[in-house]
Amino acid sequence: MVQDGLVPVEPVPSPWEFPPVGVAGASDVVAGGADLAPGTVLAAYRRGLFPMPDHRGSILWWSPVDRGVIDIAGYEPSRSLRRARAKFEIRVNTAFDQVIRACADPRRPGSWIDRDIIASYTELHRLGWVHSVEAWDGDELAGGLYGVAIGGLFAGESMFHHKTDGSKAAVAGTIELLNDEYAADRVFDIQWVTDHLATLGAVSIPRETYVRRVARAVDLPLPKAFR
């Protein structure tokens, strides 16, 4: 089930200029400062960066040396992922506020999504650039994720579950939504590879490779689910 009507609106360009990611060397952090205005955030993603605050709440711009992605073309879900996916209905953009606030729950270990991040990505959602992919069990939201969609780039930001396998089903559903005639060139970015994401098929690629792939991907058409 997909909610129609979110057509991306290009925001006012950012006044900030990001340095090339190569200046970071062996660090995952490329820059600090700037703002979270829509134009700034989109400019960052188009350059292979994403914002994440430090423990003091200061904005840092990250481009991991080893970037986590899930390759869409030829993806073969594991048996456990197929079982997880089969339990739930996948919907898009029907409960965005619930999804981002569940991802921001301060009780979660390593929670980093603060009020400024919520406000920024909610505005980007309103403009048609940020989307939620949700796993539903009847009328109950079982899990989900949200991310930034620019052409053929889908940058997953965070995921959660209220029911077992809810987040796994949302990942599987996202892969299905991205798997079209442009799948070979689409980029499903998951930032870093964790042990859990590795079981779902995530792999690490060098930062330079990721940046090159993003430069091509952002010029592709959006997947139908996000138009």
Side-chain angles (χ1 to χ4, degrees):
M1 177 177 178
V2 177
Q3 176 178 304
D4 294 326
L6 288 179
V7 178
V9 176
E10 194 68 45
V12 174
S14 177
W16 303 97
E17 182 116 0
F18 290 103
V21 297
V23 303
S27 173
D28 286 351
V29 177
V30 175
D35 58 40
L36 292 173
T40 303
V41 175
L42 292 178
Y45 280 96
R46 287 170 169 140
R47 293 178 69 94
L49 303 165
F50 62 88
M52 183 180 289
D54 64 14
H55 66 281
R56 297 182 299 274
S58 300
I59 303 171
L60 299 178
W61 299 90
W62 301 75
S63 185
V65 173
D66 298 307
R67 191 66 169 249
V69 299
I70 296 177
D71 289 323
I72 302 301
Y75 182 84
E76 292 288 345
S78 65
R79 182 179 300 175
S80 66
L81 188 58
R82 291 196 301 271
R83 285 199 300 263
R85 169 65 184 89
K87 295 179 185 177
F88 304 103
E89 178 190 359
I90 299 300
R91 305 180 190 172
V92 175
N93 293 326
T94 67
F96 178 80
D97 287 343
Q98 289 176 256
V99 170
I100 195 169
R101 292 187 183 280
C103 290
D105 187 338
R107 296 170 297 181
R108 299 180 65 197
S111 178
W112 55 271
I113 302 170
D114 60 19
R115 289 180 299 175
D116 292 337
I117 292 287
I118 291 174
S120 174
Y121 284 75
T122 298
E123 176 63 9
L124 284 162
H125 172 68
R126 187 186 71 81
L127 293 173
W129 297 96
V130 171
H131 305 272
S132 58
V133 180
E134 309 138 11
W136 289 84
D137 184 5
D139 60 358
E140 294 185 66
L141 180 61
L145 58 84
Y146 75 95
V148 180
I150 306 174
L153 167 66
F154 185 81
E157 286 297 301
S158 185
M159 62 184 181
F160 78 97
H161 70 274
H162 290 324
K163 291 190 172 185
T164 300
D165 290 337
S167 59
K168 288 174 66 173
V171 170
T174 303
I175 293 168
E176 292 172 7
L177 298 174
L178 300 176
N179 192 8
D180 59 12
E181 65 267 35
Y182 301 100
D185 293 315
R186 294 200 183 281
V187 177
F188 184 5
D189 167 32
I190 49 88
Q191 299 176 345
W192 290 277
V193 177
T194 64
D195 290 343
H196 173 61
L197 288 170
T199 67
L200 304 183
V203 297
S204 291
I205 61 175
R207 176 164 58 199
E208 296 77 10
T209 302
Y210 174 83
V211 170
R212 287 196 301 270
R213 287 183 60 181
V214 165
R216 295 193 301 269
V218 295
D219 290 329
L220 295 174
L222 277 170
K224 290 180 181 178
F226 302 139
R227 299 177 196 169

